Amino acid sequence: MIKTISSKKYLQLATWLKEARAMRGYSMRDLADILGEPHSLVQKTESLERRLDIYEYVQYCKALGIDPKQGLAMLESKDNP
C-alpha cells in the first residue's frame, strides 16, 4: 500500500481542492474561517504536509460548495495511478 500523502492520486485530490478554493475567490484564511480552523490547516493540506481524514474532507468540500463524491471518483479512477 502506498503512503497516501505521497501518492499521485492524493496530489490530484489536493490540487482539485486548491483549485476549487481559488475559483471561489477564497484565500486560505477565508476557507479556514469558514471551517473554524487555523489557516495553517489549509496551508498544510494544500502543501501536502497534512492529510485530511474522511470527515475533514467532507467538511472541506462542504465549505467549498463541492460534492465530495467527485473527489472520491477521482481517487477511484484508473487514470494517473
Side-chain angles (χ1 to χ4, degrees):
M1 185 179 298
I2 325 174
K3 296 285 183 190
T4 47
I5 204 153
S6 61
S7 74
K8 290 180 183 178
K9 288 287 192 172
Y10 193 80
L11 172 61
Q12 185 180 10
L13 182 71
T15 300
W16 177 69
L17 292 170
K18 182 178 180 177
E19 289 171 354
R21 177 183 60 76
M23 285 180 57
R24 279 150 187 79
Y26 295 162
S27 68
M28 288 183 191
R29 286 190 189 278
D30 293 335
L31 180 55
D33 287 344
I34 293 167
L35 291 167
E37 295 289 342
H39 82 282
S40 61
L41 178 135
V42 177
Q43 185 273 324
K44 288 179 180 182
T45 300
E46 291 186 3
S47 65
L48 303 178
E49 294 177 47
R50 181 189 190 285
R51 66 178 179 205
L52 298 172
D53 70 26
I54 191 67
Y55 181 75
E56 290 171 327
Y57 167 72
V58 171
Q59 295 303 308
Y60 209 97
C61 288
K62 185 177 177 181
L64 291 171
I66 55 178
D67 186 350
K69 293 176 191 171
Q70 286 181 281
L72 295 176
M74 191 184 327
L75 293 176
E76 290 181 328
S77 75
K78 300 287 184 200
D79 300 335
N80 301 321

